[in-house]
Each structure stands twice: as structure tokens, then as C-alpha cells.
């Protein structure tokens, strides 16, 4: 059975490139998802994945399917939405998620409108859902560079990111400027990785590989280091199984990976050793 699963990766180069891209993305997306979860900002990743679309669309209109132009445009658009949401929240006393909701819906509509000015339906679907099986060497280098940079920044600023994630208010009281810097840098990393993922998974699917393994990992452990490792491993496992499933069942690769991650999430919600429904039910029975 295991040999049957890896046959496609052994025989076809484009399957190996797709797998490497997903494994590299899992290394950086899953830890960022864990920190978003700890900050109670799980849906912010989804909002930002929509927010990058106008910038991607502008890059597409100016340079066609240029990875550099679309990536740079998406990063600028996502960062503008992230910073604008924080500013609106501070100026109006609205919750930051409310500001995100208002901005990302408009960004999504604007992005689809801009793409439709020049594209056909195939191009629009490529931007929204990616083209994982068409990953080339340039895309792999782009994804690898962003994943490596993300891991390096997390390693260097790990203590600050963790502290700001667990107790942002206390951090702000003692060092407001440093807290703002850490928050801004973290959001920039999130946007950067969503931009890296849009080429292979699309703007709508990338957030699935970011948040689903992170939430699933939270169901199995309370220790942050272990949680980060489990999230990465679950993301990689979902990538391997999802790609194999897409190949043998002839279904889109990106949705197959996210559906696999969803199945892992549901299993973890039911049977996770820390947050699982059945595990908690047993604990309550034994305690009574």
C-alpha cells in the first residue's frame, strides 16, 4: 500500500516538485498558524489570504503571469490591509477582527474585478485555487527562500513572538514600540507566506494548510514546542496523502490537501489527548 502511494512521486517529476513545494510551505505555514491560534486570530489568516488578491491582480495586469510581480503586489496589498486594520481598530475602538472583515471583503471583490478585466475563467481559477501540479523550478526557489527566511526570523525572535502571543497587553504596557514592531513583523511574515502559497494552492486554499494542522496540533498537546513540531508534521502528512489522493482519484490537488487536513483536524477534535471530545468526556467520567 505504501509503495502504491509513493509510485506517482517516484515516476513523475512534477509530482516531486509539487510535494517539495508543499513540504516547504508546511515548515513555515504551520508554525505561523500556531501563533495565530494562540493570539486568537485564527480567522485573520483567512482574511489576509483574500486581502492579497488585489495586489496579485495588479501584478498580473501589469506583467502577466510573472511570479515576482504578482508576489510583490500581493505582499504589499496584504500588508496594507493588515496595517490598516490595526490602525482602524485603534482609532475607532472596533475589534481588529471587525476591521479585517470590512477590509478583506472589499479586497476580495476588488481583486476578482481586476482579474476579470483581462483574464478568462481559467486564469481567475488559477489565482484563487492555485496550480499545484504546474510548479516549476522558479516557484520552488521562491517558496524555499520564503520558508527559510520565515524559520530564521522565528528562530531569532522566538522569545519575543511567544511573549507577545501569550500576553500582548502586558507586553504593550512595558514596551509599546517593541510590541508594535513584533506585531507588525509577525503579520508581515503571515502575508509573505500567504503570497508564497498562492502560486501552488491559490489565495483561498493556502490558509487551510496554515490553520488546520495548527488547530489539530492544539488538540494533542499543551506544550508550545511540541505543538509547533506536531503542526508541521501534520501539514506534511496532509500534503503527502492529499497529493497522492489527487493523483489516483483525479481531483484538484490543492482542495485534496486541504480536505485531508480537514480530516486530520476532525480526528484530532474527536480523539486528541488534550482537547479531544471523547478524551474530555472520559476524563469527566473518571473524575466523577
Amino acid at each position: 500500500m505504501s509503495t502504491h502511494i509513493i509510485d506517482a512521486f517516484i515516476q513523475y517529476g512534477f509530482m516531486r516538485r509539487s510535494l517539495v513545494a508543499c513540504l516547504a510551505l508546511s515548515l513555515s505555514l504551520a508554525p505561523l498558524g500556531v501563533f495565530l491560534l494562540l493570539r486568537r486570530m485564527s480567522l485573520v489568516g483567512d482574511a489576509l489570504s483574500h486581502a492579497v488578491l488585489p495586489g496579485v491582480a495588479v501584478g498580473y495586469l501589469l506583467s502577466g503571469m510573472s511570479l515576482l510581480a504578482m508576489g510583490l503586489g500581493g505582499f504589499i496589498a496584504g500588508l496594507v490591509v493588515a496595517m490598516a486594520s490595526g490602525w482602524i481598530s485603534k482609532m475607532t475602538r472596533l475589534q481588529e477582527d471587525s476591521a479585517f472583515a470590512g477590509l478583506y471583503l472589499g479586497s476580495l471583490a476588488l481583486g476578482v474585478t481586476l482579474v476579470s478585466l483581462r483574464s478568462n475563467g481559467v486564469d481567475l481559477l488559477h489565482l484563487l485555487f492555485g496550480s499545484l501540479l504546474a510548479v516549476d523550478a522558479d516557484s520552488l526557489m521562491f517558496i524555499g527562500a520564503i520558508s527559510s527566511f520565515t524559520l530564521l526570523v522565528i528562530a531569532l525572535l522566538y522569545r519575543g513572538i511567544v511573549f507577545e502571543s501569550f500576553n500582548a497587553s502586558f507586553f504593550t504596557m512595558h514596551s509599546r514600540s517593541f510590541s508594535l514592531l513584533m506585531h507588525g513583523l509577525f503579520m508581515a511574515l503571515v502575508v509573505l507566506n500567504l503570497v508564497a502559497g498562492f502560486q501552488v494552492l491559490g489565495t483561498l486554499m493556502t490558509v487551510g494548510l496554515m490553520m488546520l494542522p495548527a488547530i489539530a496540533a492544539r488538540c494533542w498537546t499543551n506544550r508550545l514546542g511540541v505543538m509547533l513540531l506536531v503542526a508541521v508534521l501534520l501539514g506534511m502528512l496532509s500534503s503527502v496523502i492529499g497529493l497522492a489522493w489527487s493523483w489516483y482519484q483525479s481531483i484538484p490537488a490543492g482542495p485534496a490537501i486541504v480536505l485531508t487536513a480537514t480530516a486530520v483536524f476532525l480526528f484530532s477534535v474527536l480523539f486528541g489527548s488534550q482537547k479531544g471530545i471523547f478524551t474530555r468526556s472520559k476524563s469527566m467520567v473518571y473524575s466523577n
Side-chain angles (χ1 to χ4, degrees), residues 179-257:
S179 176
L180 291 174
L181 176 63
M182 293 299 298
H183 181 74
L185 181 59
F186 175 77
M187 297 306 294
L189 287 178
V190 172
V191 173
L192 192 62
N193 278 266
L194 290 172
V195 168
F198 93 86
Q199 177 72 8
V200 292
L201 295 174
T203 59
L204 300 185
M205 293 287 106
T206 303
V207 70
L209 197 57
M210 176 182 283
M211 295 311 308
L212 289 170
I215 300 171
R218 182 68 182 89
C219 294
W220 293 100
T221 181
N222 289 324
R223 297 175 59 188
L224 179 57
V226 177
M227 196 183 306
L228 292 169
L229 177 61
V230 171
V232 169
L233 293 177
L234 291 180
M236 291 182 169
L237 178 66
S238 299
S239 299
V240 174
I241 296 175
L243 273 173
W245 180 25
S246 74
W247 174 254
Y248 290 110
Q249 298 299 319
S250 299
I251 60 177
I257 291 173

Side-chain angles (χ1 to χ4, degrees), residues 141-158:
M141 291 180 64
F142 181 67
I143 292 169
I146 289 179
S147 296
S148 300
F149 175 74
T150 301
L151 291 176
L152 179 62
V153 172
I154 290 176
L156 291 175
L157 302 177
Y158 181 76

Side-chain angles (χ1 to χ4, degrees), residues 31-32 34-41 157-169 171 179 182-183 186 224:
L32 292 174
V34 170
F35 287 120
L36 283 173
L37 180 65
L38 294 176
R39 293 163 180 252
R40 300 182 180 180
M41 298 173 68
L157 302 177
Y158 181 76
R159 291 176 64 88
I161 293 174
V162 170
F163 195 69
E164 207 260 339
S165 297
F166 279 104
N167 202 338
S169 299
F171 203 14
S179 176
M182 293 299 298
H183 181 74
F186 175 77
L224 179 57

Side-chain angles (χ1 to χ4, degrees), residues 51-78 114-115 118 126-127 138-139 142 146 191-192 195-196 198-199 203:
V52 303
L53 189 57
V56 172
V58 170
Y60 171 76
L61 290 174
L62 294 176
S63 305
M65 298 300 289
S66 166
L67 181 61
L68 178 60
M70 291 191 296
L72 182 60
F75 177 72
I76 293 172
L114 290 173
V115 174
R118 176 174 165 180
H126 172 79
L127 292 180
D138 290 339
S139 298
F142 181 67
I146 289 179
V191 173
L192 192 62
V195 168
F198 93 86
Q199 177 72 8
T203 59

